[in-house]
């Protein structure tokens, strides 16, 4: 029985723990040289800071994750700094195509695959978003957490979700000037969702209240229910023009800006492996189909953590353990049934908490549909919303394209190096609105191998030295 | 546009070159940090003439921070640590 786990974040670590307990030695792969995932990412060695400074309230959890990772990585077949760039079926087996600087190109055949590949941020492109000085919320946090840097001297935070308030708090606390926090979700949403959050996750709610209170105290201005209009500046950010809830326009001076509207699953490997996708109305996104235990309809394919459904780090740890037990059950191995029952109960409560958080910070569905024609939609290929509308619209020479893969072929939107990670949700909304169809009619932007750029030189034989020189 | 060092500044310095000019970085810096804290202001020109870029996601997903590094070819500035004498070229 050969099993591979892709991803060494909270879900991957707990999945590997259960597989090791059952006597298996999984191949364990992460693109990063270290474990912990993005949430518990550690700075490079020369930056020496205590877990308390780095992770705040989550310091103990982070230390436990890192200690467990160190332990399990010695017991499993750990492959750091390795990219899985393609997955194929080979009869009943699953074929993983990998690339790393150390080993070059390799291929692994496994009987079962657990994908714990995490998430990336959901972005609504606003005029000026490609300018130097604009990052995602996660990017702004990584700069602070792993490099000890702020992305500017006066940093505005725009978007919605817990991460918006957390990163704004971290910057303000570090002494960075925060001229504006613009949460596009109205206060009333949070107020209405608060009782359900309190009932299912009181500690999470209290932490959230602590961060928002800190931000309200330290930021020059906080607005809820508004919307960003455009980023002003030429080679750098100078200001943000934004609207408040009543539609009045304001200008806030800033030299950097962080954007983000929650997370979306990083499920391109699941897509290549044949997992089905379906439209999720609450998120307005096409999402991979895994059940609550992490099973897919495809034999031997599992996923847990944010790559299966967005739930955050605490949920990911439990889902990681649960999916490993599901795998063991499916192959007829003995597994800890008591633990699986405990996890199912706890996971159900966590999912209710997550649903309440999503009501407090609703997805910005339909907001990208209003993008001005001249605004860049696909930042890799520098294609504007207007160019997509023209290339896929009813008057296009190639004929109309409602379906997103067809529209990609006609416009190149989503064809660049990031493979639509930054723009696909916005492109779907622009297409649906332009053709006046429901968002679910646009379909799902299919993943293509390689899921990230790899060196273009042909794969060398195993004995050859690693490939030098890479091109996207 | 400039990143500001807030913490962990007591590190050994590392010299690299950016487009031939010597730049001082700190051990543990990513190429992105080294360039954007030292006043480079940007990392690459968009191939499509819409101006300069300086990365976006900082976690290896968006690919918008690619620079040329001698001996390695194109690399993500956010995911590559500086080494003494590293030669970085912006396109």
């Amino acid at each position: 029985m050969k099993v591979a786990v892709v991803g060494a974040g909270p879900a991957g670590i707990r999945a590997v723990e259960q597989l090791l307990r059952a006597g298996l030695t999984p191949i364990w792969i992460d693109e990063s040289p270290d474990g912990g995932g993005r949430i518990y990412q550690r700075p490079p060695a020369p930056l020496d800071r205590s877990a308390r400074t780095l992770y705040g309230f989550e310091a103990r959890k982070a230390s436990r994750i890192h200690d467990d990772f160190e332990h399990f990585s010695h017991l499993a077949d750990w492959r750091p700094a390795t990219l899985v760039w393609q997955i194929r079926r080979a009869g009943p087996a699953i074929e993983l195509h990998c690339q790393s600087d150390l080993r070059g190109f390799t291929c692994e055949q496994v009987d079962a695959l657990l994908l714990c590949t995490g998430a990336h941020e959901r972005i609504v492109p606003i005029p000026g978003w490609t300018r130097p000085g604009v990052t995602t919320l996660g990017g702004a946090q990584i700069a602070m957490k792993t490099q000890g840097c702020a992305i500017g001297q006066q940093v505005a935070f725009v978007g919605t979700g817990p991460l918006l308030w957390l990163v704004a708090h971290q910057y303000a606390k570090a002494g960075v000037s925060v001229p504006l926090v613009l949460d596009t979700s109205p206060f009333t949403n949070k107020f209405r969702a608060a009782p359900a959050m309190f009932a299912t996750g009181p500690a999470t709610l209290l932490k959230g209240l602590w961060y928002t209170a800190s931000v309200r105290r330290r930021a020059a201005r906080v607005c809820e229910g508004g919307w960003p209009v455009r980023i002003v500046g030429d080679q750098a950010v100078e200001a943000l023009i934004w609207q408040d809830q009543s539609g009045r326009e304001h200008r806030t001076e800033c030299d950097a800006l962080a954007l983000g509207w929650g997370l979306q699953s990083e499920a391109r490997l699941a897509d290549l492996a044949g997992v089905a996708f379906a439209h999720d109305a609450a998120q307005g996104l096409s999402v991979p189909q895994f059940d609550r235990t992490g099973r897919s309809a495809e034999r031997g394919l599992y996923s847990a953590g944010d790559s299966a459904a967005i739930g955050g780090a605490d949920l990911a740890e439990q889902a990681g353990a649960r999916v490993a037990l599901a795998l063991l059950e499916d192959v007829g191995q003995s597994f800890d049934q008591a633990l699986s029952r405990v996890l199912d109960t706890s996971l159900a409560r966590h999912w209710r908490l997550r649903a309440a958080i999503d009501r407090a910070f609703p997805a910005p569905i339909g907001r990208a549909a209003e993008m001005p024609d001249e605004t860049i939609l696909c930042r890799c290929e520098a294609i504007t919303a207007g160019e997509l509308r023209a290339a896929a619209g009813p008057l296009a020479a190639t004929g109309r394209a409602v379906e997103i893969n067809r529209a990609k072929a006609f416009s190149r939107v989503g064809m660049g190096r990031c493979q639509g990670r930054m723009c696909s949700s916005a492109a779907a909304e622009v297409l649906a609105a332009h053709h006046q169809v429901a968002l679910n009619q646009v379909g799902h932007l299919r993943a293509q191998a390689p899921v990230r750029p790899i060196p273009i030189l042909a794969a060398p034989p195993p004995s050859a030295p690693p490939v030098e020189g890479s091109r996207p | 546009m400039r990143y500001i060092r807030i913490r962990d500044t007591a590190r050994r310095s590392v010299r690299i070159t950016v487009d031939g000019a010597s730049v001082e970085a700190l051990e543990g810096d990513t190429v992105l940090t080294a360039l954007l804290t030292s006043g480079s202001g940007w990392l690459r020109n968009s191939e499509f003439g819409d101006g300069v870029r300086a990365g976006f996601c900082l976690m290896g997903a968006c690919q918008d921070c690619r620079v040329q590094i001698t001996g390695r070819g194109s690399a993500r500035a956010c995911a590559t640590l500086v080494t003494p004498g590293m030669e970085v070229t912006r396109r």
Side-chain angles (χ1 to χ4, degrees), chain A residues 113-385:
Chain A
L113 173 62
L114 261 75
L115 295 167
C116 304
T117 46
H120 56 82
E121 268 167 285
R122 179 175 187 160
I123 297 298
V124 181
I126 59 170
W129 73 299
T130 55
R131 210 156 268 145
V134 185
T135 69
T136 60
L137 291 170
Q141 189 183 39
I142 285 168
M144 181 67 79
K145 194 159 70 176
T146 72
Q147 295 282 285
C149 287
I151 61 168
Q153 269 180 314
Q154 288 190 293
V155 187
F157 294 89
V158 177
T160 201
L163 188 61
L164 172 78
W165 295 87
L166 174 61
V167 184
H169 156 78
Q170 288 166 336
Y171 267 64
K173 198 175 160 228
V176 180
S177 158
V178 178
L180 175 71
V181 176
L182 175 58
D183 185 340
T184 59
S185 304
F187 176 75
T188 45
N189 281 67
K190 294 153 211 165
F191 187 74
R192 287 199 201 112
M197 285 196 271
F198 185 74
T200 49
T204 306
L205 177 63
L206 287 177
K207 269 185 274 181
L209 289 171
W210 168 268
Y211 294 136
T212 51
S214 156
V215 169
R216 284 179 204 284
R217 200 169 62 241
R218 299 177 210 247
R221 188 151 194 185
V222 173
C223 171
E224 289 169 273
W227 191 259
V229 177
R230 66 174 188 280
I231 298 162
V232 182
D234 182 21
Q235 287 223 341
V237 177
E238 288 168 18
L240 174 74
I241 309 289
W242 54 280
Q243 282 182 345
D244 63 25
Q245 204 164 358
S246 62
R248 243 186 60 203
E249 245 178 52
H250 304 266
R251 180 188 166 105
T252 298
E253 306 299 317
C254 52
D255 66 353
L257 195 130
L259 296 175
W261 280 266
L263 300 176
Q264 52 193 104
S265 295
E266 174 52 55
R268 276 164 185 76
L269 291 178
D271 193 356
L272 291 175
V275 170
F277 280 69
H279 187 77
D280 180 279
Q283 297 176 69
L285 294 174
S286 157
V287 299
Q289 299 297 291
F290 293 98
D291 71 13
R292 285 290 187 237
T293 62
R295 292 177 169 100
S296 74
E298 292 292 307
R299 216 180 81 153
L301 269 168
Y302 303 81
S303 181
D306 284 341
S307 57
I310 302 302
D314 293 352
L315 208 151
E317 280 196 58
Q318 301 188 12
R322 183 64 187 89
V323 78
L325 300 179
L327 184 153
L328 293 169
E329 183 180 9
D330 292 352
V331 298
Q333 288 229 23
S334 70
F335 68 102
D336 190 337
Q337 296 195 15
L339 177 61
S340 91
R341 279 191 299 272
V342 170
L343 287 171
D344 283 341
T345 310
S346 176
L347 281 167
R349 184 179 63 79
H350 272 89
W351 283 118
R352 287 197 301 277
L353 169 62
R354 177 45 54 171
I357 294 173
D358 289 345
R359 288 197 301 279
F361 303 102
I365 301 173
R367 294 313 289 255
E370 306 151 16
M371 280 179 69
D373 270 346
E374 60 278 11
T375 300
I376 287 179
L377 170 62
C378 166
R379 62 187 292 137
C380 295
E381 301 283 309
I383 295 157
T384 64

Side-chain angles (χ1 to χ4, degrees), chain A residues 55-77:
Chain A
Y55 309 106
F57 287 138
E58 319 300 333
R60 273 170 64 185
K61 239 181 275 174
S63 303
R64 206 171 55 229
I65 279 274
H66 293 139
D67 292 348
D68 287 350
F69 164 75
E70 295 300 336
H71 183 53
F72 304 150
S73 64
H74 289 101
L75 301 172
D77 181 359

